Amino acid sequence: MTTPLRVLLIEDSENDAELLLLELRRGGYAPEYERVETHEGLEDALARQSWDIIISDYAMPRFNGLQALKLAQEKGGDIPFIIISGSIGEDVAVEAMKAGAHDYLMKGKLARLLPAIARELREARMRQERRQADETIHRLAYIDAVTGLPNRVRFHELVQEAVVAAQREQRPIALLLMDLDRFKDVNDTLGHIRGDSLLQQVGLRLRSALFAPDVVARIGGDEFGILLARLAASDDVQKVIQKIHDCLEVPFTIDGIPIVVETSIGVATMPEHADDADTLLQRADIAMYRAKQMASDYTVYAPELNLHSPERLGLMAELRDAIEQNQLVLHFQPKLELKTGRIVGNEALVRWQHPRLGMVPPDQFILAAEQTGLIAPLTRWVLIDALSHCQGAGREGIRLRVSVNLSARSLHDPHLPKMIADALAATGAAPNQLMLEVTESAIVLEPKRAEENLMTLSRMGTLLSIDDFGTGYTSLSSIKRLPINEIKIDKSFVTNMLTDKKDAMIVRTVIDFGHNFGLTVVAEGVETKEVLDALTDLGCDVAQGYFISKPLPSELLKSWFSTTPWKLPRG
Ligand code: C2E
Ligand code: MG
Ligand code: MG
């Protein structure tokens, strides 16, 4: 039985080489060998094939063992390297071992060769196995199995390293977090295998669109992380985002099915938004959530978006209890019909009566409630309280419709129609007493799901209003298709319409637009009599705002009813 052995001999003497080979054959090896004696020869042999062991002479006319060792380490990796010399002194031997030779032998003592080779081969095999195990562990721990890209853990490390390097070299870096919109639909309708295949293709396109030093990672289900560590200036981010959009624009084809991928990208840059990796990641995440919420292509972080401050996180922990313990209160803001001077409804606006912080406005907890899964219980609470109030006023002879705001999450929740039906049943209110306000951007976020819910609700008999109209991206076709009753011109246009020509034009256009579609047009944010008059002249149907009344808690609304000069829908 002979063992094949690929031996690279670095030896100027043909005779010495023969002796070595003889010894190897005696030990049961079948050497497949090559003899080289120069730098070039060695380099060439290392490049051509892999070797089990290198046995090198120490002193040769044009080369020596240490130079050979260095080259082998550079080009050959971790091949066992044994130096054999007729003249090697103890000092040189020590130097060779220090430089990384695995063993050294004297030419006259070749008996030691076979045990040395056996040992070195065994150890090389062990090193190899350990390396493979390390690689497997590394792969499992750091590489996403679906796309082959770095995973979340690795991405964090890379961001950390990039932050340190960028700070040292005083360069900017940018972090992009990208989420695929409606990826869940792909998974649900086409199955996980096709979903995975889509993720792979997205990964490939991103990888080929970006430069090699840019990191592309898959950091969650449908989330990709992109690290731009070689930016000339923070402004260059725009160009990269454009490239990303361009590369994803062509529909993907999965098993012949064309799939359009839309994304929401959140951007945070250093030094502008953060000076450490965690903050940078967290802020890009906040920006991404906002981009998704606003259905915009990308959002750059801004401090106003930061709902994750420690105080806010604390608040979120308390919100669940707050809902159960009735710390939420509704304020109601009356809506005035301009043609008749009659109050025709009111809008329920939620507040949190916090035991320590006092009255917390909705802007400070609605978005975070959406992110933490508390929006469903919150919406349920608001619906029941608003409808009970509506019924209470009805019993006192004032029949008012109540408007309730729905957040994007609620709008896309398949349980929404049932939640509303239950609230109507629990309070005994009629469906047409309830008007639901949704924003344009919430619809655009997932139009199909929004549409299904809104159609069901319309069949149930509730009414629908598009809130903050003019700030989103409503397409004419969705206005035509959806069962809309009312649009509310956003207060940012209304409040300044007398001083800002553009705002005035938008208000006029929206009023005409709404009327062309047979919709009731409401102006919100009416703060003065002058604006109210101007809106009346323009033919606006309904006004809401501080000039008529601020949002009021229900007891104050009752006294407002008894003193207001406006007509009330009694009966
Ligand atoms: P929105 O639905 O557009 O509500 C109108 C906001 O404008 C209210 O702010 C209201 O107090 C304020 N406002 C009313 N009249 C005037 C005025 O004349 N001038 C000015 N400058 N502002 C006026 P609020 O109550 O802070 O609510 C903010 C937003 O929070 C609401 O905007 C709505 O999107 C959301 N929200 C409120 N309650 C709820 C709720 O129960 N559920 C959900 N999902 N969102 C809610
Ligand atoms: Mg509203
Ligand atoms: Mg509004």
Side-chain angles (χ1 to χ4, degrees):
M1 255 311 269
T2 52
T3 313
L5 185 70
R6 293 164 302 177
V7 197
L8 184 53
L9 298 173
I10 306 171
E11 176 62 79
D12 62 317
S13 151
E14 180 110 41
N15 284 343
D16 286 355
E18 275 308 320
L19 279 176
L20 277 172
L21 290 167
L22 215 62
E23 182 65 10
L24 288 173
R25 289 193 187 101
R26 198 181 62 80
Y29 294 105
E32 173 201 320
Y33 76 98
E34 192 170 323
R35 182 175 69 83
V36 297
E37 51 185 311
T38 59
H39 187 280
E40 296 72 37
L42 175 58
E43 192 163 17
D44 182 54
L46 288 170
R48 211 164 344 100
Q49 71 160 84
S50 51
W51 300 96
D52 298 318
I53 197 153
I54 301 174
I55 303 176
S56 176
D57 192 2
Y58 183 74
M60 290 162 282
R62 288 181 287 163
F63 206 23
N64 76 42
L66 285 183
Q67 291 165 337
L69 174 61
K70 194 151 171 280
L71 183 60
Q73 284 167 338
E74 275 166 28
K75 303 283 163 92
D78 184 36
I79 310 170
F81 195 103
I82 297 176
I83 293 183
I84 297 195
S85 169
S87 58
I88 195 167
E90 202 67 31
D91 50 342
V92 180
V94 170
E95 194 187 342
M97 297 300 281
K98 270 193 188 152
H102 293 92
D103 207 346
Y104 79 93
L105 307 174
M106 301 301 282
K107 275 192 176 164
K109 298 186 179 165
L110 274 192
R112 273 192 55 212
L113 179 67
L114 292 173
I117 286 181
R119 186 186 60 241
E120 291 312 324
L121 290 176
R122 198 171 52 241
E123 284 185 4
R125 206 163 40 238
M126 276 161 59
R127 283 199 299 275
Q128 168 77 1
E129 280 166 9
R130 206 166 327 135
R131 244 191 331 268
Q132 272 165 356
D134 284 352
E135 272 166 25
T136 308
I137 290 167
H138 184 275
R139 204 172 49 245
L140 291 177
Y142 285 132
I143 304 290
D144 166 51
V146 173
T147 60
L149 296 171
N151 65 8
R152 176 179 282 276
V153 177
R154 182 68 186 133
F155 188 60
H156 270 244
E157 285 185 3
L158 290 167
V159 172
Q160 256 150 5
E161 289 164 17
V163 162
V164 172
Q167 276 165 345
R168 193 177 50 232
E169 294 158 33
Q170 303 212 327
R171 284 185 290 105
I173 55 177
L175 187 71
L176 279 58
L177 296 184
M178 182 182 104
D179 187 286
L180 308 186
D181 300 339
R182 295 184 288 281
F183 177 73
K184 192 172 173 305
D185 287 352
V186 174
N187 252 349
D188 289 351
T189 50
L190 301 178
H192 283 282
I193 294 174
R194 292 199 180 99
D196 283 357
S197 164
L198 179 63
L199 292 170
Q200 278 158 8
Q201 291 194 32
V202 169
L204 283 174
R205 281 202 198 169
L206 288 174
R207 197 48 283 176
S208 58
L210 298 168
F211 293 137
D214 302 337
V215 176
V216 177
R218 176 170 173 238
I219 55 174
D222 55 359
E223 234 180 280
F224 290 83
I226 294 156
L227 170 68
L228 309 174
R230 298 248 167 268
L231 282 181
S234 298
D235 285 355
D236 288 351
V237 178
Q238 315 277 346
K239 290 180 207 146
V240 178
I241 291 173
Q242 189 57 48
K243 269 210 289 196
I244 294 173
H245 278 295
D246 292 348
C247 88
L248 299 178
E249 202 169 52
V250 181
F252 290 82
T253 313
I254 310 278
D255 289 352
I257 306 164
I259 297 173
V260 177
V261 162
E262 281 170 25
T263 57
S264 311
I265 298 178
V267 183
T269 55
M270 192 182 82
E272 288 83 358
H273 305 134
D275 48 21
D276 66 83
D278 283 346
T279 312
L280 192 65
L281 280 157
Q282 185 210 17
R283 303 214 147 153
D285 190 58
I286 291 167
M288 181 187 77
Y289 186 79
R290 189 46 170 252
K292 206 168 179 57
Q293 220 196 14
M294 304 301 290
S296 58
D297 289 347
Y298 75 95
T299 299
V300 178
Y301 175 80
E304 308 84 88
L305 305 181
N306 194 352
L307 292 161
H308 283 285
S309 60
E311 310 88 83
R312 293 280 156 70
L313 285 176
L315 270 189
M316 282 314 101
E318 293 174 65
L319 183 59
R320 187 181 299 275
D321 293 340
I323 299 171
E324 282 163 16
Q325 293 163 10
N326 262 326
Q327 288 176 14
L328 299 185
V329 282
L330 290 184
H331 284 190
F332 296 91
Q333 188 173 39
K335 291 163 76 177
L336 172 72
E337 189 175 57
L338 292 171
K339 206 165 50 192
T340 58
R342 230 165 30 124
I343 300 300
V344 287
N346 51 44
E347 177 175 6
L349 294 158
V350 72
R351 278 102 183 77
W352 179 359
Q353 181 85 63
H354 192 278
R356 255 181 311 113
L357 303 173
M359 202 66 98
V360 182
D363 292 340
Q364 294 194 13
F365 61 92
I366 294 287
L367 188 61
E370 285 199 68
Q371 291 167 318
T372 50
L374 285 173
I375 195 70
L378 184 142
T379 305
R380 186 180 303 116
W381 183 92
V382 170
L383 280 164
I384 291 186
D385 203 64
L387 289 169
S388 314
H389 175 265
C390 187
Q391 289 295 79
R395 279 192 293 276
E396 299 190 2
I398 301 174
R399 286 194 57 79
L400 280 180
R401 181 170 284 156
V402 70
S403 296
V404 166
N405 293 281
L406 290 183
S407 69
R409 278 277 147 95
S410 302
L411 183 62
H412 305 133
D413 181 353
H415 306 298
L416 177 74
K418 173 150 194 323
M419 182 197 286
I420 290 177
D422 289 348
L424 289 168
T427 55
N432 68 1
Q433 284 179 277
L434 177 64
M435 168 122 22
L436 300 166
E437 293 193 3
V438 301
T439 61
E440 301 173 78
S441 40
I443 296 177
V444 182
L445 208 53
E446 297 203 31
K448 221 174 124 256
R449 264 187 225 180
E451 201 175 315
E452 275 171 27
N453 268 347
L454 292 176
M455 289 299 179
T456 310
L457 288 165
S458 163
R459 277 195 296 274
M460 278 165 49
T462 60
L463 304 171
L464 176 64
S465 171
I466 305 296
D467 204 352
D468 303 347
F469 194 86
T471 58
Y473 303 79
T474 317
S475 64
L476 282 176
S477 64
S478 65
I479 293 276
K480 214 173 70 184
R481 229 179 23 243
L482 292 172
I484 298 169
N485 306 90
E486 173 189 282
I487 51 179
K488 296 182 86 169
I489 313 174
D490 190 65
K491 57 177 177 291
S492 61
F493 307 117
V494 174
T495 311
N496 302 320
M497 63 180 278
L498 295 183
T499 47
D500 186 319
K501 275 214 183 88
K502 271 202 205 126
D503 284 356
M505 203 163 75
I506 291 171
V507 170
R508 192 165 350 113
T509 310
V510 174
I511 292 171
D512 292 345
F513 170 89
H515 286 164
N516 286 340
F517 279 93
L519 306 174
T520 303
V521 180
V522 181
E524 58 174 30
V526 178
E527 296 184 353
T528 62
K529 176 161 192 325
E530 289 71 31
V531 169
L532 189 84
D533 291 343
L535 288 165
T536 312
D537 289 345
L538 289 173
C540 184
D541 303 297
V542 175
Q544 183 182 342
Y546 295 167
F547 177 68
I548 300 146
S549 168
K550 290 208 160 175
L552 299 170
S554 63
E555 323 78 65
L556 283 185
L557 186 70
K558 256 191 224 159
S559 33
W560 185 84
F561 281 153
S562 56
T563 53
T564 178
W566 307 108
K567 288 186 234 163
L568 291 172
R570 291 197 185 271

